[in-house]
Amino acid sequence: MAVHTVIESFAAYESVRAADPTGARVWWTTSPFLLQQLPGLGESVRSPEEGLAQAEFDALARAARDFGDGFCAWYQANCAWARFVHFRFVLALQLTRLAFVLLYKAKLLSRIVAAAGSEPVVCVGNPRAPALESFALNFGRIDTVFAMLAGKLASAGIRVVQHELPPGEASQLETRIRHRRLEGVEKVLSLINNTWGSLLFKAWKHLHRRGVLPRRGISLRPFLAGRTLWVHKECELIQEATAGLLMGGVRLAFLPALPRVDLGGAEIHGLPDGDSVALRLNQGLREALDVHAVKCLPEFGAAFELTVERCLAFLEILHRNLDALALGFEKSLAGVRPGDEILSNALTSPLEGAFYGYCSWRRTSVCAFDHGVTLGLSEWSLSEARQAGMLAADRAFYHCSRAIEAVRLHAPGQEMHAVGLPRVTARPLVRGLQRRLGRQLLGIAPDQHVVMIVPDLERNNFIYGPSQDNDLQFMQKTRDITMTLCRAFPRSVVILKLYPTQRYADTYDFSDLVAEHSNLRIVGDIDFRFVRFAADLSVTASTQSTLGWVDGSGMPYVFLDFEWTPSVIEGLRLGLPSVPGLRAAVLPDRGAACLQEPIGAVRAILKAGV
């Protein structure tokens, strides 16, 4: 009799094998690294995502979306303490993502139990759900969610084997991902991936942080009392508008930091209306599943319980901090006068959502700027538009008209503008120099032909839907694309440019394919924007910010449209039978992904104070 063992890291595998060196086991995991590594060690390993119908994945994601929106609408109407808080901006997306990852992994666990039959099932990891480490509902990238679910399913016969990664490993991983230092050529490429406007903005920011410039902002007409635009969170569009705004007589200033949230001692029983909230959360989950014809599995009970516990803790923190947040927001806005406006990249965090609610209550206008090409380009983005961070704004600047069409129904009072890509994306400086430096960074000779694959990334605890990859699909399609292109371009250098992040304790880098294809090179920890001009042909299946950098480069590219992640990219659609699940290889029409116009519209609109 084999023991069906669910693991989420190689360290967990080693721990189990150290205690049971020869026992018969069937290993279950969603980790691409483990799915590739364990067979080489003579182990039987399976993915619970294998054979899962996309319709089931999508229905579960849509149910989670309806649940998130529905609960927030109910609580907005019934909460006695909300004041300036709009729960759709603070909680809806967070609750949707939390519910989906828990329901999805509970569904996968049910598939493992069904496959095991009468044989035992164990989950290896830490069954205790971590406390909220920030003012957000999400789990960390290496939290063992399967073990958390199993910890609440002891009566169902699923056992937990306690295992935790060494202390500090999670924080070291976060530090390595978020704070990687640029070196040598990368620093030069980072510098020239600017415009004069963005360089001016960054110089101003640097001097502001050092206290060299006055905190009341900068202006080319300092003795004339004009309105001030206050920058909260910048992006390329805001950076590049700086010079034109200053020349137009606008004063620019950095908004003081938003207040910190006191997370200490979150108590799920401390919410005044906690019992009715818990009841509504449970009812809302069941109703949303029923609407989308999703069978309520026994394992879903654990997902319900974790969703309720985490949401109650979050709401208790919000309730306890509400007075302090109001004082902190007012302090941040102390210098903001009537007619001034807040400029920011999309307000995506719960704290920022609460801040927007306070700004609305105070009648302070907020202008949001799209960060990446996403909205309106895929079926997933049309669903995501209901909860997009760009909705939390009085005036919004989108990259393309399709983004506006995607959100229009969900932000009926918002003033919307399509302004194209930032210049650094669509009209970069010194392309020839960037190409030479990019090839130098990659070790590519000037005369070599380069095909660059820019794939999506693994998800783990950050999985979402509908119409998105699960981790097995991501792994298989990336392998299929890579092998197909290596065979199709035998005299070219094929570069698999992986996304520079990590969602599991162990990351799969596809290096096993190099043994089969001598023309393949794997590149990880380099930002794609630094090397995009090194390619003669780029290939991507991403409909998010990566696509903007690919499309904006002006270099030839092919977009791969898969059955389970359908897009609306226009162009010549070709078949490619060697890649399973591919709907079409699209040769995009010019500007199919976004507008490539100058951003003069941004400056004109803001200077006019429309």
Side-chain angles (χ1 to χ4, degrees):
M1 177 178 289
V3 178
H4 292 254
T5 309
V6 183
I7 55 174
E8 302 186 51
S9 68
F10 191 71
Y13 163 77
E14 290 183 314
S15 176
V16 172
R17 270 299 178 219
D20 180 26
T22 59
R25 291 187 180 268
V26 176
W27 303 93
W28 292 86
T29 187
T30 57
S31 163
F33 176 86
L34 296 174
L35 289 171
Q36 290 298 315
Q37 186 77 7
L38 295 190
L41 301 176
E43 301 284 9
S44 172
V45 59
R46 297 176 62 181
S47 168
E49 295 176 322
E50 187 172 3
L52 178 66
Q54 189 66 32
E56 295 182 60
F57 179 95
D58 290 347
L60 200 58
R62 292 190 179 99
R65 182 89 68 191
D66 286 353
F67 161 67
D69 284 342
F71 173 78
C72 289
W74 174 86
Y75 203 34
Q76 196 70 53
N78 291 276
C79 180
W81 53 266
R83 294 167 58 189
F84 56 85
V85 172
H86 294 271
F87 288 107
R88 68 176 297 214
F89 300 130
V90 174
L91 184 61
L93 181 58
Q94 292 272 320
L95 189 56
T96 294
R97 295 280 176 92
L98 174 71
F100 179 62
V101 71
L102 287 168
L103 290 168
Y104 179 63
K105 292 204 170 186
K107 183 174 185 62
L108 296 183
L109 192 54
S110 75
R111 290 168 60 83
I112 294 169
V113 170
S118 60
E119 296 180 323
V121 175
V122 300
C123 292
V124 185
N126 182 2
R128 184 174 59 84
L132 300 184
E133 296 179 358
S134 63
F135 186 48
L137 286 172
N138 60 283
F139 293 108
R141 67 183 72 231
I142 58 174
D143 287 336
T144 50
V145 174
F146 283 115
M148 294 178 206
L149 293 165
K152 295 185 178 296
L153 293 169
S155 60
I158 304 174
R159 189 165 58 91
V160 176
V161 173
Q162 178 78 31
H163 176 268
E164 295 185 53
L165 294 173
E169 184 166 324
S171 59
Q172 290 173 10
L173 177 61
E174 289 289 338
T175 300
R176 187 168 67 249
I177 291 170
R178 294 178 180 273
H179 304 292
R180 188 182 72 85
R181 288 182 172 273
L182 302 182
E183 297 182 2
V185 175
E186 282 182 281
K187 290 183 178 180
V188 177
L189 284 163
S190 178
L191 179 63
I192 62 179
N193 265 273
N194 280 286
T195 62
W196 296 117
S198 63
L199 286 172
L200 173 63
F201 182 95
K202 291 174 182 178
W204 167 42
K205 183 176 180 180
H206 176 73
L207 294 173
H208 171 79
R209 284 179 170 176
R210 295 177 66 88
V212 175
L213 295 176
R215 293 194 176 274
R216 61 189 177 89
I218 58 172
S219 173
L220 297 182
R221 303 175 188 178
F223 302 109
L224 295 178
R227 70 194 189 103
T228 302
L229 301 179
W230 297 81
V231 179
H232 166 56
K233 186 172 64 175
E234 78 268 17
C235 61
E236 289 91 351
L237 284 173
I238 293 175
Q239 292 173 355
E240 293 182 7
T242 299
L245 290 170
L246 289 172
M247 288 188 289
V250 171
R251 178 184 297 277
L252 291 173
F254 282 108
L255 189 74
L258 300 185
R260 291 183 177 273
V261 176
D262 177 15
L263 302 176
E267 174 54 57
I268 64 173
H269 302 296
L271 192 66
D273 49 357
D275 290 342
S276 63
V277 169
L279 180 63
R280 182 59 207 166
L281 286 166
N282 275 291
Q283 289 177 340
L285 282 164
R286 293 183 181 279
E287 289 169 2
L289 293 173
D290 186 58
V291 165
H292 291 274
V294 177
K295 181 181 178 182
C296 195
L297 302 167
E299 291 80 6
F300 281 179
F304 284 20
E305 189 174 344
L306 285 166
T307 299
V308 171
E309 289 175 359
R310 210 159 177 83
C311 186
L312 287 177
F314 177 91
L315 290 171
E316 189 278 330
I317 291 171
L318 178 59
H319 173 260
R320 175 163 41 87
N321 280 269
L322 201 58
D323 289 339
L325 286 177
L327 290 172
F329 291 153
E330 187 58 38
K331 184 177 179 180
S332 296
L333 294 168
V336 179
R337 300 169 300 174
D340 291 355
E341 297 189 58
I342 310 298
L343 308 185
S344 182
N345 191 193
L347 300 177
T348 53
S349 74
L351 179 62
E352 290 173 336
F355 175 63
Y356 176 66
Y358 190 84
C359 288
S360 297
W361 173 81
R362 195 180 185 266
R363 297 186 179 178
T364 297
S365 181
V366 174
C367 300
F369 294 76
D370 219 349
H371 165 64
V373 174
T374 299
L375 292 171
L377 298 180
S378 65
E379 292 296 330
W380 164 76
S381 74
L382 298 178
S383 171
E384 185 78 357
R386 289 166 50 180
Q387 299 172 340
M390 289 292 289
L391 301 180
D394 304 286
R395 181 184 298 163
F397 296 86
Y398 296 91
H399 288 312
C400 66
S401 57
R402 278 179 292 189
I404 291 176
E405 292 306 312
V407 302
R408 190 184 300 280
L409 179 65
H410 311 296
Q414 187 181 85
E415 179 187 315
M416 303 175 181
H417 303 275
V419 296
L421 288 171
R423 290 182 184 273
V424 71
T425 305
R427 297 186 178 185
L429 301 173
V430 289
R431 296 187 188 207
L433 177 60
Q434 290 201 50
R435 179 177 173 85
R436 288 196 297 273
L437 291 175
R439 288 191 165 224
Q440 179 182 332
L441 186 61
L442 296 170
I444 304 294
D447 60 343
Q448 287 183 293
H449 184 264
V450 174
V451 177
M452 190 175 295
I453 307 165
V454 193
D456 289 299
L457 68 161
E458 60 195 17
R459 305 290 183 188
N460 195 17
N461 295 334
F462 301 150
I463 195 164
Y464 53 84
S467 303
Q468 284 289 296
D469 294 331
N470 62 38
D471 284 341
L472 183 63
Q473 289 170 325
F474 156 73
M475 181 187 73
Q476 290 179 334
K477 84 175 188 183
T478 303
R479 287 177 60 88
D480 291 337
I481 293 167
T482 302
M483 291 188 290
T484 295
L485 292 175
C486 284
R487 290 191 294 264
F489 295 93
R491 290 177 293 279
S492 300
V493 177
V494 177
I495 294 177
L496 178 58
K497 173 62 195 75
L498 298 175
Y499 200 92
T501 192
Q502 191 170 331
R503 297 290 172 77
Y504 287 90
D506 318 284
T507 188
Y508 174 48
D509 62 4
F510 299 88
S511 57
D512 58 302
L513 298 180
V514 175
E516 302 176 39
H517 304 282
S518 59
N519 59 335
L520 175 63
R521 299 189 187 181
I522 312 292
V523 177
D525 291 337
I526 299 175
D527 196 313
F528 171 68
R529 65 193 169 113
F530 296 159
V531 295
R532 57 185 176 142
F533 295 106
D536 297 290
L537 174 67
S538 294
V539 179
T540 189
S542 172
T543 55
Q544 299 188 41
S545 59
T546 296
L547 181 58
W549 290 103
V550 172
D551 187 80
S553 71
M555 308 294 284
Y557 76 97
V558 175
F559 178 82
L560 301 180
D561 189 5
F562 281 82
E563 293 172 356
W564 56 87
T565 56
S567 77
V568 294
I569 303 297
E570 299 161 341
L572 179 62
R573 301 175 69 86
L574 305 173
L576 201 61
S578 56
V579 179
L582 185 68
R583 290 206 307 173
V586 184
L587 301 179
D589 189 11
R590 186 181 185 277
C594 48
L595 296 174
Q596 296 189 36
E597 299 175 353
I599 63 163
V602 176
R603 296 193 292 265
I605 293 163
L606 290 175
K607 283 190 293 185
V610 176

